[in-house]
Amino acid sequence: MVQSIWEELLKIIEQEVGSHVVHTWLKAVSLKSWDGTAKIALLQVPNQFVQSWVQSHYQVLLETHLSRLFNVSCVKLKFVTSIEEDHKLVLSSDKMIVPAIVTSNMESLSPPSLSIDPTQGKRRCQINRMYLFDTFVVGPSNQLAYAAAQAVTQKPGKIYNPLFIYGGSGLGKTHLLHAIGNEVKLRNKKLEVLYQTTDRFVSEFIGAIRFDKVHQFKVRYRDVDLLLIDDVQFISNKEQTQEAFFHIFNMLYEAQKQIVFSSDTDPGGINGLAERLRSRFEWGLVTDIGLPTLETKTAILQKKVALGNYHLDEEVIAYIASRPVFNIRELEGSLIRVMAYASLANQSVSVEMAKRSLARTRTTGSQNVDFRDILRGVHKHSGISMAGLRSAKRTKDVVLARHIAMYLMKKLTNRSLEQIGAFFGGKDHTTVLHAISKIEHNKKNDKDIEILLSTIEDELLR
Ligand code: ADP
Ligand code: MG
């Protein structure tokens, strides 16, 4: 049973934050046991490095989902490393040796439970304490969103209401939402802060319908002072949920309570969004987060290195920052991979080693497929002419098809982003990068796109 819960959890996490997290980190972790009375999940990790990484990055995520899967309020995590288990000793996170069972001081590390679910009287654990304004690096790509987020914490509900932050996946939207939550709570403990992913909102609403509790569902939001709704694009095409949300929005807005949204596109780009909801999303301030510049990437790496207390030369940081990545999550992924490689090899990191440890990533472009064949494949399945795909036309389906072509070109050829951009009439490489990360994101959330991509790919590689 524990095993199947863990597998279920990995599936959810894969959907939520991407398969790389599961493959790099969580596949190495296992759920050893579950203590239903103390609500403690014991996780086995291969070493301290993995433990501290999982703790600092995925603890809230794991706790939140395990709470749901075990159907209890606040699950606590404890860690045991494989080696420690043999010695019947457990290293706590502050490096003190303590007997087994009393594992690391997780409680003090646990995020604060910031709000209460009045329908169930359960405490909820959802704001991630690691995501602060202080740990957010500001650059040209995110400074407006950052400034707006800060402004909101100074006068919640009074300026920019709602605040709508959009941008591609892994660019810091969730981070900013939590930072707002943390800051507001810091300024005034009494304020009720609720962070909710849209997925969760939808599934709880569906549950409420099923159990005839729609009224209680709505009432639950009445006492919230700050509502943070993450990934609101997932509300697309869900009419009834939108309707419920519309009422909650109005209720909070009229009471001058602050609402903040994140989304992967601007309100106009959310398919199947009721007009009245779209216009409300645009009432306050709509601001975007873009791809980070080289300087921002470097600064982010420096910050992560300092926060994690790692030792990494500037030139290695410069090397990691210089590699093309689709977003900050991937940038973090590169850093982790390098650190993990060094820790397993028990060596300090050189540029050479960083190169080696990152060499296996992005090697999919080994096949030799022609750009035109890809274009033909996309044309065949989208119905958009090859000239249309290469034109500057910006209607929705042309743009999507063009993005798919760019994605496949990167995946199936060895050509650079610049070369792909040039093929599409001299588009900038960041445009291509943006297109590709969009498709990577869509692929995760849209079965049709996933199927379409693999069909075209199969045909091309046959
Ligand atoms: P999104 O919600 O847009 O998909 P996240 O907020 O989850 O992205 O960010 C992905 C990762 O990148 C997180 O670990 C986050 O802390 C980190 N990150 C994103 N932007 C920044 C930034 N400006 N400074 C520091 N870390 C960042
Ligand atoms: Mg997010």
Side-chain angles (χ1 to χ4, degrees):
M1 171 344 228
V2 190
Q3 176 69 17
S4 61
I5 292 241
W6 185 248
E7 274 160 20
E8 177 71 26
L9 176 77
L10 294 189
K11 269 189 229 142
I12 298 171
I13 292 185
E14 185 159 341
Q15 278 179 353
E16 206 157 294
V17 293
S19 56
H20 63 286
V21 168
V22 172
H23 290 291
T24 317
W25 297 105
L26 301 176
K27 277 270 157 73
V29 181
S30 57
L31 179 57
K32 282 219 71 161
S33 65
W34 163 243
D35 177 345
T37 327
K39 299 181 188 164
I40 291 173
L42 186 66
L43 301 184
Q44 180 166 337
V45 288
N47 55 42
Q48 275 288 313
F49 181 78
V50 173
Q51 171 177 339
S52 54
W53 190 270
V54 169
Q55 263 177 310
S56 59
H57 291 79
Y58 308 115
Q59 180 163 346
V60 178
L61 193 70
L62 292 171
E63 284 174 347
T64 309
H65 288 299
L66 282 173
S67 302
R68 205 144 49 102
L69 292 168
F70 284 122
N71 200 19
V72 296
S73 49
C74 270
V75 164
K76 288 193 203 79
L77 301 184
K78 287 198 172 174
F79 291 84
V80 56
T81 70
S82 313
I83 305 163
E84 285 155 6
E85 227 211 348
D86 290 345
H87 294 118
K88 290 279 165 250
L89 280 175
V90 173
L91 274 178
S92 77
S93 57
D94 53 8
K95 302 280 187 289
M96 267 170 46
I97 294 177
V98 292
I101 306 184
V102 190
T103 44
S104 33
N105 55 342
M106 295 308 304
E107 244 146 303
S108 61
L109 285 173
S110 298
S113 307
L114 286 186
S115 100
I116 295 181
D117 175 353
T119 58
Q120 298 165 38
K122 280 182 187 168
R123 290 179 75 70
R124 307 172 62 85
C125 22
Q126 70 243 142
I127 294 273
N128 187 338
R129 213 192 250 171
M130 306 294 292
Y131 288 157
L132 302 169
F133 284 122
D134 267 359
T135 54
F136 192 86
V137 174
V138 187
S141 57
N142 58 26
Q143 64 193 11
L144 283 180
Y146 177 87
Q150 281 212 316
V152 152
T153 64
Q154 281 157 23
K155 286 195 168 121
K158 300 292 186 295
I159 31 174
Y160 310 149
N161 200 16
L163 172 62
F164 191 104
I165 302 173
Y166 71 94
S169 135
L171 293 178
K173 303 181 297 293
T174 298
H175 189 135
L176 274 185
L177 256 55
H178 284 281
I180 295 173
N182 278 310
E183 182 70 24
V184 163
K185 207 61 194 171
L186 193 74
R187 283 168 185 257
N188 187 350
K189 266 207 200 69
K190 292 204 193 92
L191 293 185
E192 200 61 54
V193 175
L194 180 61
Y195 167 88
Q196 188 79 300
T197 63
T198 302
D199 263 352
R200 181 104 171 253
F201 183 89
V202 172
S203 69
E204 288 185 3
F205 178 66
I206 291 168
I209 294 181
R210 193 178 309 142
F211 297 107
D212 224 7
K213 284 193 170 165
V214 173
H215 179 68
Q216 287 95 318
F217 176 85
K218 288 184 188 162
V219 163
R220 197 182 129 193
Y221 287 86
R222 201 175 43 199
D223 302 325
V224 170
D225 298 296
L226 168 63
L227 179 61
L228 305 160
I229 296 282
D230 209 355
D231 287 320
V232 75
Q233 76 272 7
F234 291 128
I235 209 164
S236 73
N237 297 319
K238 300 193 174 69
E239 249 173 72
Q240 245 185 317
T241 311
Q242 288 187 18
E243 171 99 25
F245 192 74
F246 181 73
H247 290 294
I248 291 167
F249 180 97
N250 287 342
M251 178 174 75
L252 293 178
Y253 185 85
E254 274 154 28
Q256 297 201 355
K257 304 299 180 58
Q258 179 70 45
I259 307 159
V260 184
F261 298 105
S262 88
S263 163
D264 70 351
T265 74
D266 60 352
I270 304 177
N271 289 329
L273 182 68
E275 182 53 31
R276 56 182 187 167
L277 210 46
R278 187 190 59 73
S279 83
R280 270 161 180 75
F281 286 170
E282 289 169 348
W283 270 356
L285 181 74
V286 178
T287 175
D288 73 323
I289 300 189
L291 292 165
T293 59
L294 179 65
E295 289 80 1
T296 311
K297 287 200 286 181
T298 310
I300 289 172
L301 287 171
Q302 281 163 341
K303 184 132 218 163
K304 306 266 169 200
V305 164
L307 284 174
N309 232 341
Y310 307 140
H311 298 285
L312 211 56
D313 290 345
E314 281 301 318
E315 53 175 354
V316 179
I317 294 182
Y319 169 71
I320 301 175
S322 72
R323 298 179 77 254
V325 286
F326 295 117
N327 56 48
I328 295 169
R329 193 175 288 131
E330 255 191 54
L331 184 70
E332 278 187 339
S334 316
L335 175 65
I336 302 159
R337 214 169 286 126
V338 170
M339 294 312 299
Y341 194 88
S343 105
L344 294 176
N346 213 2
Q347 288 174 12
S348 62
V349 190
S350 63
V351 172
E352 261 322 296
M353 173 192 273
K355 275 189 186 155
R356 244 180 295 137
S357 54
L358 297 174
R360 277 193 309 110
T361 60
R362 301 240 163 279
T363 51
T364 29
S366 50
Q367 301 92 344
N368 229 350
V369 182
D370 193 79
F371 275 178
R372 281 171 193 284
D373 291 335
I374 294 177
L375 215 56
R376 205 166 290 122
V378 175
H379 153 67
K380 185 175 139 197
H381 290 274
S382 65
I384 291 156
S385 72
M386 288 172 65
L389 287 169
R390 292 179 74 178
S391 73
K393 243 204 201 135
R394 298 216 35 95
T395 55
K396 222 174 217 163
D397 42 0
V398 175
V399 169
L400 177 65
R402 189 178 299 133
H403 286 179
I404 287 178
M406 290 178 175
Y407 170 88
L408 288 171
M409 286 172 184
K410 185 69 202 136
K411 180 156 188 207
L412 303 177
T413 75
N414 282 322
R415 314 285 280 279
S416 67
L417 296 172
E418 283 79 5
Q419 286 171 315
I420 297 173
F423 182 77
F424 285 94
K427 288 206 173 8
D428 189 62
H429 78 279
T430 54
T431 310
V432 180
L433 203 59
H434 188 67
I436 296 170
S437 66
K438 268 213 134 107
I439 297 300
E440 293 219 316
H441 178 74
N442 290 357
K443 189 173 75 155
K444 270 189 273 161
N445 304 303
D446 188 337
K447 263 259 150 336
D448 289 345
I449 294 210
E450 196 191 329
I451 293 168
L452 177 67
L453 286 169
S454 57
T455 312
I456 302 180
E457 218 175 293
D458 286 350
E459 288 175 3
L460 287 166
L461 298 177
R462 210 164 29 205

